[in-house]
Amino acid sequence: MEVDPLLSQAGIAHKVIAEAFLTAATPLDNIDSPASWRAPDGKRWLIATGKASDRLVVYDGDTGVTLRTVGGPGAALGQMQRPNGIAVIDDYVLVVERDNQRVQMFHLPDFKPLLVFGAEDLKQPYGLWVRAQKDSLEVIVSDNYMSPQNEDLPPPLAELDRRYKRYQLRRVPGGWDARLMGTFGDTTQAGAIRIAESVFGDVEHDRLLLAEEDVATGTRLREYGLDGSYRGRDIGAELFKAQAEGMALMRCAGGTGFWIATDQFKDRSLFHVFDRVTLAHLGAFAGKKTANTDGVWLDQSGDARFPQGVFYAVDDDQAVAAFDWRDIAKALSLPACRTK
């Protein structure tokens, strides 16, 4: 019988930081991943995916109070089936639906559904990363398809070249259009992603970090270029002891900043912090309660509650925790993050 790894037994040096708040626990939602958005009135919304309830849960991003829910089970526009990854860019929220094998795009603040795409290409999508380009959006989606012979095992290395799908979203008369621009995935023993969920990018440093969640071969982060090629470098191979999960990036002036990456211990999640430029390990922290984290999100915008931004992390499939960036920076003695 497999035993869940526990931070209390891992012997990893870390700081303990009190959560600024925890949202109400709703285990029937099976909360997976969060994202945030700043409303026109200045209020911060925290939006999380509910895998089991097939909906989005919207909270006040400064207090954690539940504001509303969106969606429900189904395959029609506006409905969802097992939403997992989520990202917000400008006034749009994009949601990966594993069981509808697609990505759905909504407009904020009314959550008007605009587009679904990927059903012809995706088999078992989980995570995504979105970036703005000159006149379009680029969306990279992780596709965790497994072996046809055994759904519990990844396919042979040679079949991992389509682990990630790259889409281009453009405005067209009457709405939006999505086009598959290509696929990528390393097929070597060293660079392949066997279990693919979390993906995040850094445009200034031409870098994608991909979470390799396969414990059997060694869970860690792999560095790829934005072109989808493996850079030959892994991050945290000796640090991650449970399972590498959600990632976030704090962008500071001059290309400096910090990466945060999750190690998904069952009793309390551990969050590793790396230098944005060198990827050197700068320390790790855990909350007083937050555990078993899947998705995370970093909101750098400041307000009275969180002047230097806030880091969100899912807590044990049923809530979202918030951490004040000031508390993280103080605990790990991180230099001030200037955004200009």
Side-chain angles (χ1 to χ4, degrees):
M1 180 180 296
E2 293 186 7
V3 178
D4 288 332
L6 302 176
L7 179 59
S8 60
Q9 300 173 3
I12 302 173
H14 65 278
K15 301 292 185 179
V16 177
I17 301 174
E19 293 86 349
F21 67 74
L22 282 155
T23 65
T26 55
L28 294 180
D29 281 312
N30 197 343
I31 300 294
D32 184 82
S33 296
S36 65
W37 177 72
R38 184 72 73 169
D41 62 2
K43 292 185 178 179
R44 196 193 314 262
W45 289 8
L46 172 61
I47 309 164
T49 54
K51 290 185 292 190
S53 58
D54 303 309
R55 64 182 185 176
L56 305 178
V57 184
V58 185
Y59 311 93
D60 184 305
D62 283 346
T63 66
V65 171
T66 303
L67 301 178
R68 62 176 294 193
T69 61
V70 177
L77 202 62
Q79 297 177 328
M80 289 168 271
Q81 291 285 1
R82 195 177 173 89
N84 284 284
I86 184 172
V88 167
I89 184 167
D90 299 326
D91 292 334
Y92 305 101
V93 55
L94 291 96
V95 180
V96 176
E97 301 176 52
R98 192 197 71 178
D99 290 358
N100 275 334
Q101 300 172 306
R102 69 186 189 185
V103 179
Q104 185 160 188
M105 180 181 185
F106 300 85
H107 184 264
L108 296 168
D110 56 357
F111 288 92
K112 178 184 178 181
L114 301 176
L115 175 72
V116 292
F117 62 93
E120 300 83 5
D121 321 301
L122 298 167
K123 296 181 180 179
Q124 199 169 20
Y126 273 89
L128 80 167
W129 175 66
V130 185
R131 65 162 166 162
Q133 295 186 307
K134 183 178 179 180
D135 57 354
S136 64
L137 298 176
E138 181 184 65
V139 183
I140 294 176
V141 184
S142 62
D143 196 358
N144 197 47
Y145 53 88
M146 304 301 277
S147 170
Q149 290 75 36
N150 187 338
E151 279 295 312
D152 293 326
L153 295 176
L157 291 176
E159 298 177 18
L160 295 177
D161 59 332
R162 294 169 286 112
R163 259 303 183 235
Y164 300 88
K165 272 75 173 182
R166 192 190 304 269
Y167 294 90
Q168 183 183 63
L169 276 57
R170 287 184 180 275
R171 286 185 177 274
V172 295
W176 285 79
D177 177 70
R179 182 167 58 149
L180 178 67
M181 302 300 291
T183 65
F184 64 89
D186 196 86
T187 57
T188 67
Q189 186 74 27
I193 302 293
R194 294 156 182 83
I195 305 295
E197 292 191 25
S198 300
V199 50
F200 210 91
D202 183 352
V203 175
E204 287 185 72
H205 294 281
D206 185 23
R207 176 179 288 154
L208 288 174
L209 290 190
L210 310 177
E212 168 58 275
E213 300 188 26
D214 186 40
V215 176
T217 58
T219 184
R220 64 195 66 195
L221 308 180
R222 299 200 195 278
E223 182 188 5
Y224 279 51
L226 292 177
D227 64 356
S229 61
Y230 177 50
R231 290 276 180 80
R233 176 161 63 159
D234 291 351
I235 301 94
E238 304 302 321
L239 293 171
F240 291 93
K241 303 297 183 183
Q243 192 175 66
E245 270 283 357
M247 295 171 288
L249 177 62
M250 171 68 86
R251 301 173 180 86
C252 306
T256 62
F258 312 98
W259 282 95
I260 302 179
T262 307
D263 203 357
Q264 192 184 32
F265 288 99
K266 297 298 181 181
D267 55 344
R268 280 187 306 128
S269 298
L270 189 67
F271 304 102
H272 291 288
V273 179
F274 301 91
D275 181 85
R276 180 185 182 187
V277 179
T278 67
L279 300 180
H281 190 243
L282 302 178
F285 69 94
K288 289 190 173 182
K289 179 186 181 298
T290 306
N292 193 29
T293 298
D294 285 308
V296 301
W297 185 265
L298 181 65
D299 186 335
Q300 291 190 228
S301 65
D303 60 10
R305 179 65 182 88
F306 297 113
Q308 295 177 22
V310 53
F311 174 68
Y312 296 111
V314 167
D315 174 40
D316 203 21
D317 299 331
Q318 56 189 313
V320 183
F323 294 88
D324 192 316
W325 179 258
R326 294 173 299 178
D327 295 336
I328 298 171
K330 180 179 179 181
L332 298 184
S333 299
L334 300 177
C337 178
R338 297 184 302 275
T339 57
K340 296 181 180 180

